[in-house]
Amino acid sequence: SFFYKIAIYLLFVVLISAILSHKMAGPVYRFEQTCKAIAKGDFSQRVHLRQGDQLTELQDEFNKMMDRVEAEIKKK
């Protein structure tokens, strides 16, 4: 009985960890891919996160920054 409770608790912890990890790892991966595309010269790239993901405020600021960078490049 004690071991079943421990197993259920560990399963619960692993499940919650996976969910939280996914909400952080996904956005970080999207930022990484967007930055790689920008580094190759595609300044039209923007980060698009799913609703409920972490880092949405960073996404908004990053995209505003890229809007300004792209506008400055087009001026020249």
Side-chain angles (χ1 to χ4, degrees):
S1 174
F2 175 73
F3 291 109
Y4 291 120
K5 288 179 183 177
I6 294 292
I8 290 172
Y9 175 74
L10 286 175
L11 181 63
F12 180 74
V13 168
V14 167
L15 200 67
I16 295 298
S17 297
I19 291 168
L20 294 176
S21 165
H22 181 70
K23 286 193 172 276
M24 278 303 285
V28 170
Y29 177 77
R30 285 189 182 86
F31 269 100
E32 180 183 1
Q33 296 304 309
T34 302
C35 288
K36 285 180 181 179
I38 291 169
K40 290 180 181 177
D42 184 358
F43 294 97
S44 68
Q45 289 291 310
R46 300 297 182 268
V47 176
H48 300 286
L49 301 179
R50 295 174 300 217
Q51 188 173 10
D53 277 345
Q54 298 295 313
L55 306 177
T56 53
E57 290 178 21
L58 179 59
Q59 165 203 265
D60 294 342
E61 294 304 316
F62 182 89
N63 290 340
K64 286 179 194 174
M65 176 189 70
M66 286 311 303
D67 289 342
R68 289 183 182 154
V69 167
E70 190 175 23
E72 287 297 319
I73 290 172
K74 287 181 179 179
K75 281 184 187 178
K76 297 180 181 182

